[in-house]
Amino acid sequence: MMSQTPDDETVDAEVIEEGSALALPQPIEPAVDYTETGVPTFDYVRNQIEGRFATSVGAAELAGDTPPATSLDEQFAAREQAGRDRLEEIRRSMRDHGSG
C-alpha cells in the first residue's frame, strides 16, 4: 500500500467566474446617532452620558450595600474614634505636665 502525499489528495472544488466575486455588504450606519458628516447627535451623546451615570450610581449603591463595604465603613469609623480618643489623651497629658 502506497501512502498519499498532499499533492496526491483529491480536492473537490467549484469553479467561480471572475465577474461573480462576492460583493461586500454596505456598512450599516445608525439611523439617528450620527449626522451625515459623522458628528454624533445631541440625543446620542445625552443617552451615552445618562447611561454611564446610571451605571455608576447603581454600582455605588450595590457596593455600599454589601457586607464587606459595611464592614469597612465600621472599621474606618472605629479607627477614627480611636484616633480622636488618643489625641484627647495626649492633650490631657500635656495639660497635666504643663500645669505641674
Side-chain angles (χ1 to χ4, degrees), residues 29-36 38-45 47-48:
E29 296 179 21
V32 293
D33 292 345
Y34 290 88
T35 64
E36 288 180 11
V39 178
T41 63
F42 177 75
D43 289 335
Y44 175 76
V45 173
N47 289 339
Q48 290 290 97

Side-chain angles (χ1 to χ4, degrees), residues 6-7 18 24 27-28 31 33 38 41 43 45 47 51 63 70-71 75 80 82 93 97 99:
D7 293 337
E18 274 189 48
L24 296 175
I28 299 172
D33 292 345
T41 63
D43 289 335
V45 173
N47 289 339
T70 305
S71 174
Q75 290 175 8
E80 287 289 308
S93 161
H97 287 310
S99 63

Side-chain angles (χ1 to χ4, degrees), residues 82-93:
R84 284 191 292 271
D85 293 345
R86 178 71 177 134
L87 181 60
E88 184 58 35
E89 182 183 326
I90 292 171
R91 286 180 177 157
R92 267 185 275 142
S93 161

Side-chain angles (χ1 to χ4, degrees), residues 3-97:
S3 67
Q4 289 186 340
T5 63
D7 293 337
D8 294 339
E9 292 181 17
T10 303
V11 176
D12 188 22
E14 177 180 337
V15 176
I16 299 178
E17 302 282 330
E18 274 189 48
S20 68
L22 297 173
L24 296 175
Q26 292 296 322
I28 299 172
E29 296 179 21
V32 293
D33 292 345
Y34 290 88
T35 64
E36 288 180 11
T37 58
V39 178
T41 63
F42 177 75
D43 289 335
Y44 175 76
V45 173
R46 185 186 63 226
N47 289 339
Q48 290 290 97
I49 292 170
E50 287 174 352
R52 290 178 184 169
F53 178 74
T55 300
S56 67
V57 167
E61 287 176 0
L62 287 175
D65 292 342
T66 61
T70 305
S71 174
L72 286 175
D73 288 341
E74 290 170 355
Q75 290 175 8
F76 180 75
R79 179 174 284 175
E80 287 289 308
Q81 185 59 44
R84 284 191 292 271
D85 293 345
R86 178 71 177 134
L87 181 60
E88 184 58 35
E89 182 183 326
I90 292 171
R91 286 180 177 157
R92 267 185 275 142
S93 161
M94 292 179 73
R95 271 188 246 131
D96 293 342
H97 287 310

